[in-house]
Amino acid sequence: MFIDCSEKERFIFKKIAHAAEQLGTECYIIGGFVRDKILGRKTKDADIVCLGDGIELAHTVARQFTPSPKVSFFKNFGTAHIKADDLDIEFVGARKESYRYHSRKPEVMPGTLEDDQKRRDFTINALAVSLSKANYGALIDPFEGMKALEEKIIRTPLDPDQTFSDDPLRMMRAIRFASQLQFSIDENTWNGIKNNIERIHIISRERITDELNKILLSKKPSVGLDLLYQSGLLHVIFPQMIDLAGAEYKDGMGHKDNFYHTLQVVDNIAEHTDDLWLRWAALLHDIGKPATKRFEEGHGWTFHGHEVVGGRMVPKIFARFRLPMDHKMRFVKKLVELHLRPISLTKENITDSAIRRLLFDAGDDIDALMTLCKADITSKNKQKVKRYLDNFEMVRHRLESVEESDRIRNWQPPVTGEMIMEIFGLPPCKQVGDIKNAIREAILDGHIENNYDAAYDFMLTTARALNLEPVK
Ligand code: CTP
């Protein structure tokens, strides 16, 4: 077989070939599975295309196994799915199709293998391996997909205008594959993307986000993010990122280009984590800068409060991309809000109380926050970078020693609001909140110890100043 498959995969493909022979039809493995096998990437999905009815083939294949796997199928689309071993196999009849201009829904007609290969997005995704008796295992490659894989090129099999106009999501896919595989995009194909940017509007936000997430999860996300920017797609899907681009000069003073700085931070963090949400935090950490940019005479450019403004933008951006509005969004928002705090702790004379406050505010996300802060160092000056990193190491030690003695991380003050209400016979009201905050502040500032007795005594003193006495 042209591709290098495991024993189990070979066993499964033989069964499929046998089923096709029983039906007197031809079938092929096609698309991502063939591409990934040639590239030596892991893959658990195989697409099978046959000349005829994909659903009938799936049922015939299922019967080759004992016990027979369940066949799920969609009559309208003519597709069927089975899971054999841990391989997800999708069956479909070869087709030719043309898309209507305002929709992604194609008009589909049965076609030959080559018709089917032609309607696919890229030549590297149009490679097929035969499962037919006459040429079992042979590569069928009418569009030089193999050459494109060797040359590391993303290219459409047809005129790119047609391929992208048929399905504009493919513009995102081209850039995503370039980022994931570190391939370049063929010039003609690239121009096709630029010509069809506006067509991205007919694609659902969820699918765009899916591709954006895959770009963010790639080894060097800046490749894909920069291509999104250069093509003009980013202007349409994520205008807030565009506002970061460019450096302005006044009185001979400039500021860095925050777009390319952000890309560098995302690449830096990608070396330390595969966590999508931490990568999102890196992408959004400076998103509040354009809105807070000021020029102060004699001083230069400032972005005061950009972390607060940026934090406020996070829920809106998550909603726009249909990203989850749950703890993942709150994690990203928190990291954006806190991303300057560890830097402020690298100055001299930092008190334990400042360290305690950061532990309290960051809670369990303190390590993620430190990872983000380190990634945020993008200076080209090696000595400067070393100084920053050494300072962060010091902050880390301080965080560890304060945490060890005070246990502030994920800490709840020893006296709760309910207890205050009960002791003073109060309904929920501002005074309860004031007393609770005063106790928390006193502990964080180190004025009283972090235990119940100290907090109780302090509560009584604070309440007395508000003319409150315990009811029992
Ligand atoms: N395909 C296409 N146009 C699309 C999506 C998919 O032509 N918009 C074709 C490609 O031939 C692709 C195959 O359908 O290889 C399977 O698509 P999919 O499973 O989405 O992608 P893969 O190429 O397998 O890659 P990945 O799993 O990384 O998304």
Side-chain angles (χ1 to χ4, degrees):
M1 192 172 256
F2 186 84
I3 49 176
D4 194 11
C5 295
S6 70
E7 207 165 304
K8 277 181 185 166
E9 288 164 345
R10 283 203 299 271
F11 177 75
I12 294 167
F13 293 141
K14 285 273 182 205
K15 298 265 188 207
I16 297 174
H18 187 66
E21 203 185 340
Q22 275 184 1
L23 292 174
T25 180
E26 289 174 24
C27 75
Y28 305 85
I29 320 169
I30 195 161
F33 187 88
V34 180
R35 175 200 70 219
D36 286 342
K37 280 289 174 193
I38 296 170
L39 290 173
R41 296 172 90 221
K42 282 207 179 77
T43 170
K44 289 267 161 261
D45 303 305
D47 290 330
I48 305 292
V49 67
C50 68
L51 304 186
D53 182 349
I55 299 176
E56 191 187 10
L57 176 62
H59 279 111
T60 315
V61 171
R63 283 196 293 274
Q64 313 285 315
F65 293 88
T66 27
S68 286
K70 180 174 167 281
V71 181
S72 344
F73 58 95
F74 299 93
K75 243 191 154 40
N76 291 350
F77 296 101
T79 61
H81 166 270
I82 65 169
K83 195 168 172 98
D85 213 11
D86 51 2
L87 194 63
D88 279 299
I89 313 169
E90 190 95 29
F91 297 85
V92 67
R95 47 200 174 177
K96 56 174 162 206
E97 58 190 33
S98 76
Y99 290 73
R100 284 183 235 112
Y101 193 72
H102 290 292
S103 126
R104 293 186 67 235
K105 292 203 185 66
E107 280 181 272
V108 184
M109 287 163 281
T112 62
L113 173 66
E114 189 162 327
D115 288 332
D116 197 280
Q117 287 173 296
K118 210 187 274 179
R119 75 178 180 90
R120 291 180 180 263
D121 51 3
F122 308 115
T123 60
I124 60 166
N125 290 344
L127 292 159
V129 168
S130 171
L131 295 181
S132 306
K133 204 170 182 186
N135 57 350
Y136 188 86
L139 182 75
I140 300 168
D141 178 17
F143 301 103
E144 300 193 315
M146 196 58 211
K147 186 164 168 259
L149 275 182
E150 279 157 11
E151 290 173 358
K152 297 179 182 277
I153 295 271
I154 310 286
R155 182 181 287 129
T156 57
L158 298 176
D159 174 358
D161 272 334
Q162 183 175 341
T163 302
F164 293 132
S165 174
D166 280 351
D167 179 358
L169 182 69
R170 291 167 168 173
M171 300 188 281
M172 294 287 300
R173 280 172 62 89
I175 291 176
R176 183 258 287 192
F177 283 119
S179 200
Q180 276 182 330
L181 306 176
Q182 311 242 342
F183 277 28
S184 48
I185 300 178
D186 158 78
E187 195 183 332
N188 204 16
T189 301
W190 178 244
N191 290 333
I193 296 178
K194 292 209 262 187
N195 291 341
N196 285 280
I197 295 297
E198 286 305 316
R199 296 270 292 148
I200 198 73
H201 285 300
I202 67 165
I203 302 295
S204 74
R205 290 269 165 85
E206 288 80 355
R207 302 189 75 151
I208 291 175
T209 300
D210 230 35
E211 296 299 327
L212 184 57
N213 283 343
K214 285 180 181 171
I215 291 172
L216 269 178
L217 285 173
S218 62
K219 196 163 167 239
K220 200 165 176 238
S222 65
V223 173
L225 293 167
D226 198 23
L227 288 172
L228 285 177
Y229 175 51
Q230 302 292 342
S231 64
L233 270 174
L234 200 63
H235 294 66
V236 182
I237 65 166
F238 201 170
Q240 295 93 330
M241 282 293 293
I242 302 299
D243 296 339
L244 287 168
E248 209 173 321
Y249 282 84
K250 200 171 169 182
D251 300 346
M253 283 183 270
H255 63 79
K256 65 183 166 209
D257 180 318
N258 287 307
F259 178 75
Y260 283 106
H261 162 72
T262 296
L263 263 47
Q264 179 69 56
V265 176
V266 177
D267 278 354
N268 289 351
I269 214 154
E271 285 181 19
H272 298 282
T273 180
D274 286 331
D275 184 300
L276 176 64
W277 308 110
L278 189 43
R279 292 185 179 201
W280 263 102
L283 187 68
L284 299 183
H285 79 287
D286 275 347
I287 202 75
K289 275 194 168 174
T292 54
K293 181 165 122 175
R294 303 275 177 278
F295 185 79
E296 288 175 12
E297 295 298 332
H299 183 71
W301 297 95
T302 64
F303 303 91
H304 293 309
H306 74 268
E307 71 285 14
V308 181
V309 171
R312 254 183 247 138
M313 290 167 74
V314 171
K316 289 181 201 143
I317 291 170
F318 265 56
R320 179 187 172 100
F321 281 105
R322 310 281 191 270
L323 286 164
M325 299 299 283
D326 57 8
H327 61 278
K328 297 176 186 104
M329 184 277 285
R330 290 193 295 277
F331 166 81
V332 174
K333 181 172 190 289
K334 180 166 152 186
L335 258 65
V336 172
E337 283 167 351
L338 295 180
H339 82 271
L340 297 178
R341 290 273 293 278
I343 301 171
S344 69
L345 298 182
T346 58
K347 300 198 187 90
E348 276 173 32
N349 304 327
I350 294 301
T351 57
D352 274 3
S353 114
I355 300 272
R356 235 178 261 129
R357 272 173 196 286
L358 180 60
L359 280 167
F360 179 73
D361 290 339
D364 261 350
D365 300 321
I366 188 73
D367 293 335
L369 179 64
M370 293 303 285
T371 306
L372 173 61
C373 289
K374 280 192 188 171
D376 199 8
I377 306 170
T378 58
S379 168
K380 296 267 181 297
N381 180 335
K382 284 215 172 89
Q383 271 177 322
K384 223 172 172 179
V385 171
K386 186 176 179 318
R387 202 170 60 238
Y388 281 133
L389 289 175
D390 288 348
N391 283 341
F392 275 137
E393 219 25 61
M394 259 162 47
V395 173
R396 190 182 281 282
H397 282 135
R398 289 281 303 272
L399 285 165
E400 274 166 16
S401 73
V402 169
E403 171 61 11
E404 205 168 297
S405 62
D406 296 4
R407 306 253 162 247
I408 288 294
R409 183 169 168 164
N410 293 326
W411 160 80
Q412 291 300 326
V415 174
T416 65
E418 283 77 33
M419 287 157 86
I420 298 169
M421 287 193 279
E422 200 184 318
I423 292 166
F424 298 100
L426 291 171
C429 62
K430 183 172 176 300
Q431 282 174 318
V432 176
D434 289 346
I435 298 171
K436 205 176 124 189
N437 287 345
I439 298 169
R440 190 191 61 220
E441 295 298 297
I443 295 174
L444 289 175
D445 279 340
H447 294 324
I448 62 169
E449 281 186 33
N450 179 15
N451 62 44
Y452 179 78
D453 288 345
Y456 190 88
D457 288 346
F458 185 80
M459 172 190 71
L460 291 180
T461 324
T462 313
R464 220 163 280 138
L466 297 169
N467 289 326
L468 291 171
E469 289 296 337
V471 289
K472 47 184 175 185

